């Protein structure tokens, strides 16, 4: 019986606790009912072995794994000597090299029973607690800690035996309860505890094996009186029992909830059977409807397998669960998307050209690109759609062109505004695990169009923003890449969708604000502003008929002459497009509609006097060339968002020290152009017949009028140098000439942009001739000759050629 008791206690002790030095594991071993050893022959100094997560009590045997180099040296020396060491718990278990100040003051004298070599190179030592001691002072730190110690007396004398017996009985009861409640301690442990005869050893054994925190165990070790130690331990055990009971209660509730769910499942199955008997289950009808909806779908095997899998998942979800509606929405989205469904393109190229011309005036580049794509589709039968980007000033018809393209190709039309878009999820969608998740706007619009090859307008792509929620421009890179968008991935669908047949047409006002990588993926087509003649044609063919229809008037009731339209355009609008013109014409039409409704006598022909009465005084004053015939004044041409403008540059000289002054609210680029001009003049002073004292003793002041308006850009370079040379030589610039072009320090004239708008401004101002770089000749050739009238153009390559032509030798 005694052998069985020892065997059980030994096995139980292996389960109760564990530890090692790095993550201290200790396995208390029991050698009978040993009483704590009491000896007065302990040395005054001991080698100190720091323990982690372990507190050794007198009489208890524990194995400890040792791996620290200092500890290994300590064991080797102690084992060769009296085999006595001091076992003290660390205050901070994470400290690798503790000193005496990092240890508790009270420890236990331990005797080394056996040292075992472990396969990993570490050692496991079995030690037995002998007696408690307190550290007086540290004697050495190397090669391991040695300290002077004094043994603490054990007060094991029992004052009241009956009271102590009751305490021990309570401790056994609490320990038995802990064993019952704990899932990690076998029931045989209770048998082992009941067979420990020594009450002192029982208290030390339980204190050593308990799951108390190290500070609590150390508190027990430091109590001298065994009765007080037992009372304190009983207090800790009561707390442990409460924790275990709470844990057991929680586990019971979880089990009850699982049982409840199973019960509800069986009840739901019974309800389902009853509903079937009464005429069917609405949930089953919904699932059947989802199955019928996808019959004949032209989707891939991957999509079909996913749909089937998600449908089976729906069948297993409780209809009362919030996940049920989310799953239904997801399946409906998959079922309603046009997987592999395309509209048939109209390959009648002549009809397509007629539709495009009927809806939009001009825009020849865009129309030609659409017709080219249609021609290739007709010949090849299959082709990835182009991704176009129409950029230009507001109101020139970029957005509305998309609708005409869709009509010409017989495709569905989608328009998606990107202005102010900040959230990347608007493009890629939200993951369906989120509450309120939905696919991105690309997929939503494809579903709305019910076609996988619509004309998709991405309006205002230059106004896409980015912030902490993501960068939509980066998300658009996949959408607008012909090599990638065949496998576009939406976060909500978690499937790839083919966008390669979608014709994307983006619109923008400023190319510079479009993400460079995004810009690289699109065909950039400039849609420049309209000339006066073009605006008149647009008004007659498109705007006026639309306004008459919108205001309930017939074509014969109101007529606009070319002169009236020209007056409205030049005196009440300043723009590259036709948006403001449409508003002004609408005001005139509304006035006539009111008079017709009041049955007043109204002439059908709109006169300039009628326009003045309705619209009031001119809002825009026409730029007029000022032929002052004064030296130092030159006329340039500038581009603005509202179209072209004429730009005067005035230069005056005054006595001084050769300084250059610039005024007129000029930007850095224009200031640099002026610096280039003056430096070039200084380098060519001899050729220009300019004495050195003129450049050294006179200040040069360059001014560009309308100082309230910011001005910048390189195109005023030749105008500035012409004005400066004119002022310095006293020779005027030729009349009826405007100029535009960038200059270099080597004397070259470089091309600039916005030529069409600048020529329009020159013609509007009455200028007959424009000087520009020879490289801009191709821009002029793209303008219809009937719009140029009697305008002449002088193409130059160098500043010398410029000055020879524009400076007049009176």
């Amino acid at each position: 019986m005694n052998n069985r008791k020892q065997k059980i206690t030994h096995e139980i002790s292996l389960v109760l606790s564990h530890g090692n030095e790095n993550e201290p594991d200790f396995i208390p071993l029991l050698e009978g009912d040993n009483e704590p050893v009491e000896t007065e022959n302990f040395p005054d100094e001991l080698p100190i072995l720091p323990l982690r997560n372990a507190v050794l009590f007198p009489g208890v045997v524990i194995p400890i794994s040792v791996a620290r180099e200092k500890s290994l040296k300590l064991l080797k020396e102690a084992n060769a000597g009296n085999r006595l060491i001091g076992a003290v718990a660390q205050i901070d278990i994470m400290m690798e090299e503790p000193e005496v100040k990092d240890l508790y003051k009270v420890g236990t004298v331990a005797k080394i029973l056996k040292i075992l070599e472990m396969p990993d190179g570490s050692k496991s030592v079995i030690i037995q607690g002998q007696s408690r001691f307190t550290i007086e002072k540290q004697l050495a730190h190397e090669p391991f800690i040695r300290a002077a110690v004094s043994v603490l007396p054990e007060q094991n004398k029992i004052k009241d035996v009956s009271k102590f017996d009751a305490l021990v009985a309570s401790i056994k009861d609490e320990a038995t309860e802990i064993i019952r409640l704990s899932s990690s301690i076998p029931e045989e442990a209770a048998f082992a505890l009941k067979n420990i005869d020594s009450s002192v050893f029982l208290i030390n054994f339980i204190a050593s094996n308990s799951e108390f925190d190290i500070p609590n165990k150390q508190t027990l070790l430091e109590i001298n009186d065994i009765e007080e130690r037992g009372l304190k331990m009983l207090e800790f055990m009561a707390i442990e029992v409460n924790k275990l009971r709470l844990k057991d209660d929680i586990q019971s509730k979880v089990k009850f909830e699982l049982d409840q769910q199973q019960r509800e499942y069986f009840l739901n199955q019974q309800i389902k059977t009853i509903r079937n008997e009464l005429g069917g289950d609405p949930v089953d009808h919904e699932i059947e409807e989802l199955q019928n909806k996808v019959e004949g779908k032209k989707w891939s095997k991957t999509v079909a397998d996913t749909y089937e899998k998600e449908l089976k998942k729906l069948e297993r979800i409780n209809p009362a669960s919030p996940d049920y509606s989310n799953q239904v929405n997801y399946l409906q989205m998959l079922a309603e998307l046009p997987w592999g469904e395309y509209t048939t393109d109209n390959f009648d190229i002549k009809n397509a050209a007629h539709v495009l011309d009927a809806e939009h005036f001009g825009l020849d580049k865009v129309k030609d690109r659409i017709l080219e794509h249609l021609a290739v589709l007709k010949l090849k039968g299959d082709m990835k759609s182009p991704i176009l980007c129409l950029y230009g000033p507001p109101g020139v018809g970029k957005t509305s062109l998309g609708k005409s393209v869709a009509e010409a190709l017989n495709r569905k039309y989608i328009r998606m505004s990107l202005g102010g878009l900040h959230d990347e999820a608007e493009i890629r969608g939200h993951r369906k695990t989120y509450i309120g998740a939905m696919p991105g706007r690309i997929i939503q619009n494809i579903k709305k169009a019910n076609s996988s090859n619509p004309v998709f307008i991405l309006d205002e792509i230059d106004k896409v923003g980015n912030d902490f929620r993501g960068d939509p421009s980066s998300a658009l890179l996949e959408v607008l890449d012909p090599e990638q968008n065949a496998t576009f991935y939406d976060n909500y669908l978690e499937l790839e969708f083919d966008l390669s047949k979608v014709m994307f047409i983006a619109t923008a006002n400023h190319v510079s604000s479009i993400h460079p990588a995004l810009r690289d993926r699109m065909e950039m087509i400039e849609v420049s502003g309209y000339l006066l003649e073009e605006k008149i044609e647009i008004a007659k063919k498109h705007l006026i008929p639309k306004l008459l229809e919108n205001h309930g008037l017939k074509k014969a009731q109101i007529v606009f002459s070319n002169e009236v339209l020209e007056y409205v355009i030049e005196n009440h609008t300043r723009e590259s497009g036709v948006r403001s013109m449409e508003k002004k014409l609408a005001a005139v039409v509304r006035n006539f509609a009111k008079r017709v409704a009041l049955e007043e006598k109204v002439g059908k022909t709109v006169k300039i006097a009628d326009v003045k009465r309705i619209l009031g005084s001119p809002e825009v004053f026409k730029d007029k060339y000022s032929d002052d015939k004064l030296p130092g004044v030159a006329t340039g041409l500038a581009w603005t968002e509202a179209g072209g403008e004429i730009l005067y540059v005035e230069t005056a000289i005054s006595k001084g020290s050769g300084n250059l002054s610039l005024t007129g609210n000029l930007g850095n680029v224009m200031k640099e152009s002026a610096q280039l001009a003056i430096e070039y003049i200084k380098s060519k002073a001899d050729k220009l017949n300019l004495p050195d004292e003129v450049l050294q003793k006179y200040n040069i002041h360059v001014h560009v009028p309308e100082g309230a308006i910011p001005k910048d850009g390189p195109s005023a370079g030749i105008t500035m140098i012409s004005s400066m040379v004119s002022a310095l030589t006293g020779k005027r610039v030729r009349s009826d000439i405007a100029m535009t072009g960038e200059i270099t320090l080597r004397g070259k004239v470089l091309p600039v942009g916005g030529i069409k708008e600048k020529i329009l401004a020159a013609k509007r101002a009455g200028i007959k001739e424009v000087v520009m770089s020879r490289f801009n000749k191709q821009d002029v050739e793209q303008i219809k000759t009937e719009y140029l009238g009697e305008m002449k153009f002088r193409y130059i390559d160098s500043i010398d050629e410029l000055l020879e032509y524009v400076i007049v030798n009176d």
Side-chain angles (χ1 to χ4, degrees), residues 368-484:
D368 289 344
R369 182 65 186 87
I370 301 300
L371 296 176
E372 287 169 4
H373 173 67
L374 194 57
V376 174
L377 272 178
K378 183 177 181 180
L379 296 174
K380 187 171 180 289
D382 182 30
M383 180 187 176
K384 290 182 178 179
S385 292
I387 296 174
L388 311 178
C389 180
L390 313 180
Y391 67 95
V396 294
K398 301 184 296 297
T399 303
S400 58
L401 180 69
K403 204 162 190 176
S404 300
V405 171
E407 184 180 346
L409 297 177
N410 192 33
R411 290 191 179 189
K412 299 290 182 69
Y413 170 75
I414 299 172
R415 176 185 166 273
M416 173 179 164
S417 178
L418 299 176
L421 192 70
H422 286 272
D423 194 349
E424 180 188 349
E426 292 284 337
I427 305 296
R428 289 190 179 278
H430 305 79
R431 297 194 182 280
K432 65 175 185 284
T433 52
Y434 295 120
I435 296 174
M438 62 180 66
R441 291 170 64 184
I442 300 287
I443 294 297
Q444 288 184 47
N445 282 294
I446 292 290
K447 173 193 166 187
K448 190 186 299 181
N450 199 30
S451 167
S452 291
N453 66 334
V455 174
F456 204 124
I457 303 298
L458 298 171
D459 210 8
E460 310 290 0
I461 198 170
D462 57 327
K463 296 173 180 63
V464 174
N466 65 79
D467 58 14
F468 64 93
R469 287 167 288 188
D471 183 4
S473 295
S474 299
L476 284 170
L477 293 178
E478 183 184 5
V479 177
L480 299 182
D481 191 337
E483 301 301 323
Q484 297 183 42

